[in-house]
Structures are given as structure tokens and as C-alpha cells.
Amino acid sequence: MTNFLMRKGFWDYVEGENEDPPELPKENATAVQIKAFKDWNQGARKVMYWLSVSVTDTMIGHIQDAHTPAEAWQNLVQMF
């Protein structure tokens, strides 16, 4: 999975500068901030999907409630 995420350019979602979503102000968010937030969410959903289809059914419970791909990854790392 590490190699797959690195190859796809999504490794930073689990261990890197892209682990957490960008800050989005509650008011007066700029178009750039909104786009960065949407882009991060789209990438995070991809990583969560790839993680969920790569684990066994018995392991899904360990990642399904994670708020970020980094959190899901850490849950898997702790298991092994």
C-alpha cells in the first residue's frame, strides 16, 4: 500500500505535509482556500477508498471511523 500511495502521489495524506485538511475560515474564505479544501477532501476520499478495499472485512472496523487518511493509517500501523 505504501508503494501504491507513493506512486499515485498520495503518500502525504498518510505521512507528510498533507495529513490534515487545510484550514478553512468560517467566514470570508477565498476561492483559493475553498479549492484547496475541496482538493484535499477529494484526495482524502480516494486514499480512504483505497485503504478500505485493500483490507479484509474484519479490519474495516479499525479504519471506518477515522477522520483522516493519516488516522486510518495509524490505526492499521498499530495493528501490525
Side-chain angles (χ1 to χ4, degrees):
M1 181 53 65
T2 301
N3 290 336
F4 176 81
L5 292 174
M6 285 180 172
R7 172 67 178 106
K8 292 287 191 180
F10 287 88
W11 181 246
D12 279 351
Y13 280 83
V14 295
E15 285 192 358
E17 61 188 49
N18 214 10
E19 286 182 36
D20 298 314
E23 291 289 324
L24 188 62
K26 293 182 181 184
E27 296 180 17
N28 302 324
T30 66
V32 171
Q33 290 169 318
I34 293 169
K35 181 174 178 358
F37 186 77
K38 286 182 178 180
D39 289 348
W40 185 91
N41 277 313
Q42 183 177 7
R45 284 191 299 269
K46 286 180 183 179
V47 174
M48 290 300 288
Y49 170 76
W50 291 327
L51 290 176
S52 67
V53 298
S54 299
V55 299
T56 63
D57 291 342
T58 58
M59 294 170 59
I60 282 288
H62 297 282
I63 64 171
Q64 70 184 7
D65 294 329
H67 298 295
T68 66
E71 183 181 342
W73 185 261
Q74 284 306 313
N75 291 346
L76 293 172
V77 167
Q78 289 174 0
M79 290 176 60
F80 300 100

